[in-house]
Amino acid sequence: MKISVELTLTPLQDNYEPAIIHFIKKLRDSGLTVLENPLSTQVYGDYDKVMALLTSEIKEAFELIERGLLYMKIVKSDRHDYEPHF
């Protein structure tokens, strides 16, 4: 089963950029399709692969920050090629 996941990591502390950059680079290195914009990062692929990656990388990201939030949306389909039709 293919999924699309949108993630927004929000450390609640000063000097937050290194943790976000580290998290995104680890996602990029996964071999999965990863797209970024200024507000979120999207990961696309097989459910088991994506969720295994997120389990380990979210844990590591949380270990690198003192406090933080992670917003996550999951869609059951691979939407990496979505283009608006308007």
Side-chain angles (χ1 to χ4, degrees), residues 36-85:
E36 303 154 30
N37 66 54
L39 299 177
S40 66
T41 301
Q42 296 85 39
V43 182
Y44 305 90
D46 179 71
Y47 179 91
D48 291 328
K49 290 180 182 177
V50 172
M51 296 308 286
L53 171 70
L54 294 180
T55 297
S56 65
E57 296 311 326
I58 290 170
K59 181 178 181 180
E60 183 175 330
F62 281 171
E63 290 172 344
L64 294 174
I65 60 177
E66 188 175 328
R67 288 178 304 279
L69 302 170
L70 180 84
Y71 297 96
M72 181 167 55
K73 298 178 202 174
I74 303 173
V75 177
K76 184 186 171 190
S77 67
D78 185 334
R79 306 284 294 165
H80 81 275
D81 58 354
Y82 170 78
E83 291 185 26
H85 300 290

Side-chain angles (χ1 to χ4, degrees), residues 1-62:
M1 161 184 16
K2 299 292 185 184
I3 62 171
S4 303
V5 180
E6 180 180 60
L7 303 158
T8 303
L9 176 61
T10 309
L12 301 174
Q13 63 188 46
D14 293 332
N15 193 28
Y16 58 86
E17 288 180 344
I20 294 172
I21 291 168
H22 179 78
F23 182 64
I24 292 171
K25 284 183 175 182
K26 294 292 291 261
L27 296 177
R28 286 179 186 166
D29 290 343
S30 70
L32 295 170
T33 301
V34 177
L35 301 176
E36 303 154 30
N37 66 54
L39 299 177
S40 66
T41 301
Q42 296 85 39
V43 182
Y44 305 90
D46 179 71
Y47 179 91
D48 291 328
K49 290 180 182 177
V50 172
M51 296 308 286
L53 171 70
L54 294 180
T55 297
S56 65
E57 296 311 326
I58 290 170
K59 181 178 181 180
E60 183 175 330
F62 281 171

